[in-house]
Amino acid sequence: MRLWSLHPSYLDSKGLVALWREGLLAKAVLSGQTRGYKNHPQLERFKSQRDPKAAINAYLLEGHRDAERRGYRFDIRKLDATRSRKKIRVTEGQLRYEWSHLQSKLLRRDPSRHEYNASIVEVQPHPLMEIIPGEIESWERQTA
């Protein structure tokens, strides 16, 4: 499960579909509708919120908006009406790590998206995220 801190516009089509699918899985986990993935480290940022389900709905809403801009049809009815307006804090180090991780994936999977992203000077977070100083989050499973 990968719940990006990055703005969804940086993702390729496979990444955007994965954001939606994995976000819906996270929503099911946070709603107690599944037994698996309960302790997945990526869920920590949502579990730490006052209303985790409202936070994941807000996260998914932005994914839905980006999908619509691209002409995809994600089912908005899968989201609850309750959405958090409170920002989720994410460290600068985490954002940099995720950017590097995404760019590595795109180099293999979608070189044109990788090249487009390479021209970006200032990486923007997902609109739900607030960037704070700090290193990679302690829950992150780093890959080489």
Side-chain angles (χ1 to χ4, degrees):
M1 183 183 305
R2 171 59 64 185
L3 302 170
W4 300 98
S5 301
L6 301 165
H7 196 283
S9 64
Y10 300 132
L11 302 174
D12 62 339
S13 59
K14 287 182 181 179
L16 186 60
V17 170
L19 177 148
W20 184 252
R21 187 184 67 245
E22 293 171 11
L24 290 174
L25 173 60
K27 181 177 179 279
V29 172
L30 294 169
S31 299
Q33 297 173 344
T34 184
R35 289 190 206 141
Y37 294 98
K38 285 183 180 177
N39 297 312
H40 195 284
Q42 285 280 330
L43 291 174
E44 290 306 313
R45 65 176 60 154
F46 293 95
K47 285 180 178 179
S48 68
Q49 300 305 299
R50 180 177 293 134
D51 187 343
K53 290 185 283 185
I56 196 69
N57 280 308
Y59 177 83
L60 283 164
L61 180 62
E62 191 60 35
H64 183 271
R65 287 178 179 148
D66 199 73
E68 280 194 326
R69 282 190 286 271
R70 298 185 198 198
Y72 298 119
R73 295 195 181 273
F74 292 176
D75 188 356
I76 191 81
R77 295 173 297 177
K78 294 191 182 261
L79 304 184
D80 300 333
T82 306
R83 297 188 185 103
S84 176
R85 291 194 170 108
K86 187 175 184 322
K87 297 275 188 174
I88 296 175
R89 292 182 171 184
V90 178
T91 61
E92 292 171 346
Q94 182 65 28
L95 191 69
R96 280 192 310 272
Y97 173 76
E98 290 183 20
W99 180 252
S100 176
H101 184 70
L102 174 62
Q103 284 296 86
S104 293
K105 283 185 167 205
L106 292 176
L107 188 57
R108 295 184 307 276
R109 194 168 70 198
D110 190 338
S112 63
R113 175 65 71 163
H114 176 271
E115 186 175 338
Y116 173 80
N117 283 357
S119 68
I120 293 172
V121 176
E122 188 174 336
V123 176
Q124 297 299 309
H126 186 288
L128 184 61
M129 307 298 170
E130 174 187 12
I131 304 306
I132 60 171
E135 299 302 316
I136 296 172
E137 301 284 356
S138 60
W139 46 258
E140 180 63 74
R141 292 181 185 162
Q142 297 181 50
T143 57

